[in-house]
């Protein structure tokens, strides 16, 4: 049990070190709301529909809009695979006080390997390795063009408080890969703590706080975003 916890603590400390070393940091406050619908069609297969709305808090306006569809395949009690297609819409400029805004669209095919290991009756170790293909369509363009790959590595711990409540701590690092990536190989890291409440077998509510530390394309400037998030998980079982 101590080894997975030590790995998670290393990721957390690494993220704090990255944040402390950087200058020219812009702070923003956001609200994320998400709805995740899972279709449990068998013990192995779970197609899903996921939609997320991300808003600046002050002033209140859109930052991101992210719908996606995909499927999860359960290989064993510990390992599963996910494939998905995400549509990503970004409001530019990334300034909540901007007088003029425009949208940049993006398509993101995704594949992921998910691992969950129960350490004891309360604690579980969580990990995910995800690869994204990024196809962007700038506001002044009519077609999507491939820009780069992005590798996402996430580690975490889940703690079962009781039958209804589960707490989690997650750390995720994003790395850009591609010929056009010069100054922003490190894209971002996300450190979050949340609480999940199981209403019944069909519905769960999750809320928490995330710090999203992201490097701008210049390589010298950064965003530090304080995020409050809410997720409604809806499970439909067909077998």
């Amino acid at each position: 049990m101590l080894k997975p916890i030590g790995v998670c603590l290393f990721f957390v400390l690494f993220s704090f070190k990255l944040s402390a070393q950087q200058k020219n940091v812009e702070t923003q406050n956001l609200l994320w709301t998400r709805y995740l619908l899972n279709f449990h069609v068998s013990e192995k297969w779970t197609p899903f529909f996921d939609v997320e709305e991300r808003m600046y808090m002050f002033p209140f306006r859109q930052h991101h809009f992210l719908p996606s569809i995909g499927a999860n395949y359960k290989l064993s009690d510990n390992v599963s695979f996910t494939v998905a297609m995400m549509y990503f819409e970004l409001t530019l400029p990334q300034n909540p006080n901007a007088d003029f805004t425009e949208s940049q669209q993006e398509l993101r095919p995704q594949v992921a390997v998910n691992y969950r290991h129960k350490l004891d009756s309360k604690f579980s170790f969580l990990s995910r390795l995800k690869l994204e293909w990024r196809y962007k369509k700038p506001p002044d363009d009519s077609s999507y063009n491939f820009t780069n790959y992005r590798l996402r590595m996430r580690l975490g711990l889940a703690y079962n408080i009781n039958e209804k409540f589960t707490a989690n701590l997650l750390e995720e690092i994003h790395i850009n890969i591609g010929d056009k990536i010069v100054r922003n190989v490190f894209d971002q890291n996300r450190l979050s703590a949340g609480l999940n409440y199981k209403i019944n077998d069909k519905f769960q509510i999750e809320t928490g706080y995330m710090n999203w530390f992201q490097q701008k394309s210049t390589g010298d400037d950064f965003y530090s975003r304080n995020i409050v998030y809410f997720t409604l998980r809806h499970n439909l079982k067909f077998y």
Side-chain angles (χ1 to χ4, degrees):
M1 175 178 173
L2 293 177
K3 186 175 180 180
I5 293 177
V7 173
C8 290
L9 289 175
F10 171 78
F11 263 62
V12 171
L13 293 174
F14 177 72
S15 69
F16 281 135
K17 184 178 180 180
L18 283 172
S19 300
Q21 287 178 344
Q22 312 303 342
K23 298 180 180 180
N24 304 322
V25 177
E26 180 181 349
T27 301
Q28 296 177 340
N29 300 305
L30 292 94
L31 172 66
W32 290 6
T33 56
R34 179 187 177 204
Y35 173 69
L36 173 59
L37 176 59
N38 291 308
F39 301 92
H40 297 271
V41 296
S42 72
E43 291 185 0
K44 295 288 188 179
W45 287 100
T46 306
F48 63 84
F49 169 71
D50 191 355
V51 60
E52 186 171 12
E53 184 77 68
R54 300 176 180 176
M55 308 291 294
Y56 293 105
M57 286 189 180
F58 310 107
F60 192 70
R61 76 164 180 82
Q62 188 180 71
H63 182 218
H64 292 147
F65 177 62
L66 300 82
S68 64
I69 58 172
N72 189 73
Y73 177 74
K74 184 179 179 182
L75 184 65
S76 67
D77 290 339
N78 295 331
V79 181
S80 65
F81 297 98
T82 304
V83 293
M85 171 62 78
M86 174 185 288
Y87 169 78
F88 182 91
E89 186 169 295
L90 167 65
T91 301
L92 295 173
Q94 297 191 70
N95 178 1
N97 298 303
D99 295 328
F100 171 78
T101 61
E102 56 187 1
S103 296
Q104 175 179 287
Q105 286 83 39
E106 184 177 340
L107 296 177
R108 293 183 184 174
Q110 303 171 328
V111 294
V113 180
N114 315 288
Y115 177 74
R116 184 185 185 101
H117 177 65
K118 197 168 184 178
L119 301 173
D120 56 27
S121 60
K122 292 291 187 179
F123 280 98
S124 295
F125 171 70
L126 313 173
S127 67
R128 184 184 72 184
L129 185 64
K130 178 185 285 190
L131 180 63
E132 298 178 321
W133 289 257
R134 307 186 66 180
Y135 295 84
K136 295 182 180 180
K137 184 169 77 69
D140 57 349
D141 204 338
S142 59
S143 61
Y144 290 89
N145 298 296
F146 176 75
T147 57
N148 64 281
Y149 303 98
R150 186 166 68 178
L151 185 64
R152 301 172 54 164
M153 298 168 285
R154 189 177 75 183
L155 296 177
L157 288 172
Y159 177 73
N160 294 324
I161 301 171
N162 53 42
E163 292 183 355
K164 292 289 187 179
F165 288 96
T166 302
N168 59 69
L169 177 67
L170 298 170
E171 167 66 18
E172 184 175 36
I173 296 175
H174 298 204
I175 303 295
N176 287 319
I177 303 170
D179 296 337
K180 299 179 182 179
I181 304 301
V182 179
R183 305 197 65 189
N184 62 326
V185 175
F186 163 74
D187 180 50
Q188 60 185 268
N189 73 271
R190 300 178 180 183
L191 176 64
S192 65
L195 185 66
N196 181 285
Y197 173 67
K198 182 180 178 181
I199 301 172
N200 52 42
D201 290 339
K202 289 186 177 180
F203 293 99
Q204 297 176 32
I205 297 175
E206 186 171 324
T207 185
Y209 167 80
M210 175 187 294
N211 178 257
W212 177 14
F213 191 79
Q214 184 179 29
Q215 185 181 43
K216 299 183 183 181
S217 58
T218 60
D220 299 320
D221 305 302
F222 299 83
Y223 291 110
S224 178
R225 297 186 172 107
N226 300 304
I227 300 163
V228 176
Y229 64 85
F230 295 92
T231 299
L232 175 63
R233 299 178 185 270
H234 186 182
N235 298 300
L236 297 178
K237 193 171 182 179
F238 296 94
Y239 68 95

